[in-house]
Amino acid sequence: MTGQGDFELVGQGLACARGGRLVLDGVSFAARAGAPLVITGPNGVGKSTLLRVIAGFLDLAGGRLLFKAPSVQEEAPPAAKHIHYVGHLDGVKSALCVRDHLIFWARYMGAEPCSVDAALDAFGLTRLAALPGAVLSAGQKRRVALARLLLQERPLWLLDEPAVSLDKAARAILRRVITNHCANGGVVLVTSHESLEIPNAVDLTLSPPPQRPAT
Amino acid sequence: MDEQDSQRHMSVTQWDMQSPASSWRAFLALVRRDLRLATAQGAGGLQVVVFFAVVVTLIPFGLGPDLPLLQAIAPGLLWVALILASLLTFDRLFQADFEDGSLDGLVCGPLSLEGIVLAKACAHWLTNAAPLIAATPVLALLLNMDMGVLGFLILTFLVGTPGLTLIGALGAGLSVGVRRAGILIALLVMPLYVPVLIFAIGAIEQARRTLDAGGGLDLLEPNALFLTAASLVAGLVGVIAAAAGLRLHISG
Amino acid sequence: MGEFFHMGGYGAFVWPAYLLSAGVLAFMTATTLRAYNRHKRLLHHMEDGGPEN
Amino acid sequence: MFALANPHRFLSYSRVLTPWAGGLAAVLLLVGLVWGLAFAPPDYQMGDTVRIMFVHVPSAWMAMAAYTFMASASLASFIWRHSLADIAARAAAPLGLGFNFLALVTGALWGQPMWGTFWVWDARLTSFLVLFFFYIGYIALWEAIEDPHKAGRAAAILAIVGFINVPIVKFSVDWWNTLHQPASLIKMGAPAIHWTILTPLLIMVAAYTALFVALVLMRMRTEIFIRQIHRLQISTALDTEAPALG
């Protein structure tokens, strides 16, 4: 499937500072369609920071980030419209029911309302559609957060600890959704502590950067 | 959704995200969601109106039932009470979305940070300032306000509160992530509220004088113009600075 | 000298103003110096003695 | 690329500059005090209360000068992300607050004999009261946000917004003042100050400014130490974390 026309995210010597300290330094990788990149490393080494830099929340202190898409000639960092970012937090409102939740995100992102039912089915949330966020378990909230990925087709997925609090069945769903997205030529970056057994995944292990004088 | 067509290549999303249409749709979606959330949690607007009523009702007990005195200072009392009531409501404006992570999702959408601030400020205005303004006539009775002046007072509320709301959003944006930011926000916005308050009261006094002299309401007299200008400047500065504050905390 | 302290009848305002000014300026200087020395010692302490103690 | 070379350069410069500024301030204060209290003639109109001017005007001037210093440092820190400018703004704020407080109190003490009450809603005094609240808000924002870098940028935004607000407040307070008190009060600053009063006044202003410079430099050095301590604490936390995991 990995023809020349696929998406690819390349990071060259990425560096990022938070609170005046270099959290990332000299991080390089190439994430190609069909081969999810699983990012591992000890606590506080900057796994989440890397995803947030790619998503554009944090400024790059150094290095280059390029997102190659078939239709786009010149290489540029990924734009917000290319990205689905699911962070540690689920963003589930206790007062909204599951369906209203996804309806809002569909409307907000400009996706068709019909995608909501498909996303609910894919993550096995149809039975919970009418329940308010307050009564959901952590695993169910995580699935609601992940269901957002299917509302709109965006090539680059950035998933921060997606499998946290998911049970075996939900992990299987997550695996299937990721592999399906890759089969379609999408790029997936995942941070995770335990292995997710995603087929043909590529590993990237981050180590704490040597402390350059970032006084 | 796309199982049956696994050969289809995913292209860069066709629709242009930053087009006015999609941004406008996102803006409305966000305002509707915030309205839903505000009304879902026990009619948020009601608490604000109750506080407003408490402040205005306490004043005659403090100053005595001297109606002419109350009537003379009524506009000032109502304006200050409105400011106090609205100051209570800003600390949760961005905090809720920041804490549960949905702010990140919003930023990945078609709306710029300024758009997000404006949308949330609109929802906040509708759930807080609007009920306060609606409750004003009833409370004006307690202060024996003259109907003509009351009409003009409500006009100054309608012109002034957008600016006040956006300055409140500035205070909220700067103090996202701070525990119990309510007092801090009141402190941050106080110097910025002074001009709007001064021009509003000036406009009402002017209107009172022209009404007493039997003249019609002159909406273009200096006080009213300064009030409008101050509110617009406050709004503009508020949106830009609140977005800068959010950007700061998102990249924290 | 009495005349000097009397300040043409306004002694009750001139002297408090000066005393208060001296007090506040001294307070500002003192807090600045104290903070400076405390953190300077703490920093040297951390650099040489290591973080644990 | 991220090295902040200049804190080291700043530390060496300020090590020399601070004692000089402090010494100059002490000398000027002494001269100004003795001259103002003992030798300057009482004013024909205000009598000896004019001597309060020697402490009121310098503190009012310093409250505004410190504010301008703070706002420009904040602008520099916001535009060029120059963290030394952050530190300068943070160092100046409490001093500005102190001078502002002094300006208000000495202004009231000066006002009492002239206007019969300690506090008069005079346009200038009211503007200083608003500035006083701004200082408290600015410092409170610094203290409220833990991460010094984030706090610096948030405070910079507030200072810039505050700076835009100064002329608006000034105009609105003057407008409000003429609205409610048409009777014109004795203008605080006498139109033409005689040199016998002007010279000690200028000495005192210079003394306050020198003191401000000495204190702000000292506070900036302290702030740099605090940041280094903060960084040492984080890296020790991380070092003890990383090797444990191998």
Side-chain angles (χ1 to χ4, degrees):
Chain A
M1 266 297 293
T2 52
Q4 91 305 357
D6 277 342
F7 293 92
E8 187 183 4
L9 181 73
V10 175
Q12 294 157 350
L14 300 181
C16 178
R18 285 177 86 164
R21 275 190 70 265
L22 270 182
V23 177
L24 295 175
D25 195 7
V27 174
S28 298
F29 61 86
R32 258 175 293 286
L37 187 72
V38 178
I39 303 162
T40 54
N43 298 6
V45 77
K47 299 195 292 294
S48 303
T49 307
L50 180 58
L51 288 191
R52 288 183 77 85
V53 165
I54 298 169
F57 299 145
L58 286 162
D59 304 331
L60 265 179
R64 269 159 39 102
L65 185 65
L66 302 172
F67 182 57
K68 303 194 184 81
S71 62
V72 176
Q73 286 66 29
E74 91 293 345
E75 293 144 356
K81 67 178 180 183
H82 298 142
I83 295 169
H84 267 316
Y85 171 84
V86 176
H88 283 297
L89 304 167
D90 306 324
V92 171
K93 297 290 178 187
S94 43
L96 284 182
C97 78
V98 172
R99 180 182 299 282
D100 290 346
H101 217 88
L102 291 179
I103 286 175
F104 160 69
W105 282 110
R107 265 200 215 114
Y108 184 75
M109 292 193 273
E112 299 80 27
C114 70
S115 61
V116 169
D117 295 325
L120 286 173
D121 291 344
F123 275 91
L125 291 167
T126 322
R127 269 191 310 66
L128 311 169
L131 296 180
V135 304
L136 297 179
S137 73
Q140 288 161 340
K141 283 184 184 161
R142 200 65 186 144
R143 280 155 49 197
V144 172
L146 291 168
R148 260 201 347 249
L149 296 168
L150 300 180
L151 291 178
Q152 193 173 63
E153 209 174 65
R154 292 187 179 186
L156 179 56
W157 285 6
L158 305 173
L159 311 179
D160 200 343
E161 308 283 352
V164 156
S165 65
L166 290 187
D167 55 25
K168 255 176 69 57
R171 273 177 214 274
I173 296 175
L174 177 62
R175 247 196 310 285
R176 191 164 46 75
V177 163
I178 290 180
T179 33
N180 193 317
H181 180 65
C182 290
N184 264 318
V187 174
V188 177
L189 278 82
V190 186
T191 67
S192 179
H193 274 298
E194 72 278 7
S195 80
L196 291 165
E197 305 111 19
I198 301 174
N200 54 48
V202 173
D203 266 334
L204 169 69
T205 307
L206 297 182
S207 53
Q211 261 320 305
R212 276 202 287 139
T215 47
Chain B
M1 182 172 57
D2 23 57
E3 276 82 356
Q4 75 291 351
D5 175 12
S6 65
Q7 294 318 317
R8 186 166 60 81
H9 255 278
M10 189 180 302
S11 65
V12 172
T13 37
Q14 307 72 14
W15 94 103
D16 173 9
M17 257 200 25
Q18 298 306 345
S19 75
S22 65
S23 304
W24 180 244
R25 224 175 320 117
F27 185 91
L28 287 183
L30 187 51
V31 173
R32 272 166 68 145
R33 185 202 70 159
D34 268 27
L35 286 180
R36 283 276 304 280
L37 286 175
T39 44
Q41 276 135 5
L46 199 59
Q47 289 163 341
V48 162
V49 171
V50 165
F51 182 82
F52 184 47
V54 162
V55 171
V56 173
T57 316
L58 277 178
I59 287 168
F61 294 109
L63 301 180
D66 167 4
L67 283 181
L69 167 70
L70 289 178
Q71 186 180 35
I73 57 173
L77 297 186
L78 286 168
W79 254 98
V80 169
L82 179 111
I83 286 179
L84 288 179
S86 60
L87 275 180
L88 292 180
T89 59
F90 287 118
D91 58 343
R92 292 302 295 169
L93 187 59
F94 301 117
Q95 188 72 10
D97 283 344
F98 179 76
E99 270 164 7
D100 69 15
S102 36
L103 199 55
D104 295 341
L106 293 176
V107 170
C108 282
L111 267 188
S112 67
L113 262 179
E114 284 77 8
I116 292 171
V117 166
L118 212 55
K120 293 187 80 66
C122 278
H124 184 274
W125 190 89
L126 289 170
T127 51
N128 290 284
L132 285 174
I133 295 174
T136 306
V138 174
L139 296 172
L141 292 181
L142 297 182
L143 302 173
N144 183 28
M145 256 184 90
D146 160 81
M147 281 311 125
V149 177
L150 171 63
F152 198 81
L153 169 75
I154 291 187
L155 208 60
T156 58
F157 276 166
L158 290 171
V159 170
T161 42
L164 298 185
T165 306
L166 284 169
I167 296 179
L170 155 65
L174 286 181
S175 54
V176 163
V178 170
R179 289 170 308 290
R180 289 189 315 286
I183 305 298
L184 178 64
I185 292 175
L187 201 52
L188 297 182
V189 299
M190 176 267 182
L192 301 160
Y193 274 9
V194 162
V196 176
L197 178 60
I198 287 177
F199 292 132
I201 301 304
I204 297 169
E205 295 303 326
Q206 183 66 29
R208 193 200 291 258
R209 274 197 290 277
T210 45
L211 277 180
D212 294 349
L217 282 186
D218 168 14
L219 293 182
L220 297 180
E221 53 94 14
N223 282 293
L225 291 181
F226 284 133
L227 169 62
T228 323
S231 188
L232 286 175
V233 166
L236 192 65
V237 168
V239 169
I240 296 170
L246 282 185
R247 188 166 298 116
L248 165 73
H249 286 291
I250 285 174
S251 64
Chain C
M1 268 317 276
E3 172 48 30
F4 176 74
F5 286 106
H6 188 51
M7 274 296 161
Y10 295 116
F13 305 106
V14 174
W15 290 114
Y18 275 75
L19 288 176
L20 189 77
S21 300
V24 170
L25 293 186
F27 172 74
M28 279 158 50
T29 313
T31 42
T32 304
L33 287 174
R34 196 154 37 84
Y36 175 75
N37 294 322
R38 192 161 57 84
H39 286 97
K40 189 175 174 180
R41 247 187 291 106
L42 186 60
L43 184 62
H44 290 325
H45 198 70
M46 284 187 80
E47 276 162 352
D48 325 333
E52 55 286 342
N53 46 22
Chain D
M1 145 284 295
F2 200 78
L4 286 163
N6 40 37
H8 300 292
R9 221 164 352 105
F10 169 77
L11 283 176
S12 48
Y13 285 157
S14 59
R15 182 186 301 279
V16 172
L17 211 56
T18 315
W20 274 102
L24 181 66
V27 166
L28 287 175
L29 268 176
L30 203 63
V31 170
L33 219 58
V34 168
W35 188 324
L37 275 179
F39 298 105
D43 179 77
Y44 63 93
Q45 210 183 10
M46 291 184 276
D48 279 292
T49 56
V50 75
R51 299 192 197 290
I52 299 179
M53 191 165 70
F54 296 136
V55 277
H56 173 65
V57 171
S59 48
W61 146 260
M62 260 334 295
M64 287 186 290
Y67 179 76
T68 317
F69 173 87
M70 214 176 69
S72 29
S74 299
L75 202 63
S77 96
F78 191 76
I79 294 172
W80 296 296
R81 289 180 186 262
H82 202 304
S83 106
L84 195 62
D86 264 358
I87 289 168
R90 178 167 202 179
L95 303 175
L97 181 67
F99 287 121
N100 192 323
F101 170 75
L102 271 183
L104 287 172
V105 172
T106 50
L109 280 169
W110 189 358
Q112 216 292 338
M114 281 204 295
W115 297 320
T117 63
F118 277 106
W119 180 258
V120 166
W121 288 93
D122 164 75
R124 236 196 316 267
L125 274 180
T126 316
S127 303
F128 270 97
L129 191 60
V130 174
L131 182 63
F132 185 71
F133 274 97
F134 176 80
Y135 270 122
I136 298 178
Y138 182 83
I139 295 169
L141 187 59
W142 264 102
E143 303 302 326
I145 301 175
E146 287 90 12
D147 169 12
H149 283 269
K150 231 160 63 161
R153 286 185 67 73
I157 296 170
L158 181 70
I160 294 165
V161 167
F163 203 67
I164 298 169
N165 194 42
V166 161
I168 302 175
V169 166
K170 189 85 186 67
F171 174 77
S172 59
V173 166
D174 287 343
W175 177 269
W176 168 79
N177 198 273
T178 51
L179 212 61
H180 292 281
Q181 273 159 330
S184 77
L185 298 160
I186 304 166
K187 274 281 165 250
M188 275 229 284
I193 304 175
H194 191 264
W195 68 269
T196 50
I197 292 182
L198 190 60
T199 355
L201 182 62
L202 291 179
I203 293 175
M204 287 297 277
V205 168
Y208 273 51
T209 312
L211 181 66
F212 173 76
V213 168
L215 292 183
V216 84
L217 289 177
M218 185 71 82
R219 292 185 67 83
M220 284 175 75
R221 293 164 65 85
T222 314
E223 189 60 30
I224 291 176
F225 293 155
I226 292 173
R227 299 255 175 126
Q228 279 165 355
I229 292 169
H230 183 75
R231 197 161 299 116
L232 276 175
Q233 285 160 347
I234 292 181
S235 43
T236 29
L238 264 174
D239 299 345
T240 45
E241 180 85 18
L245 292 170

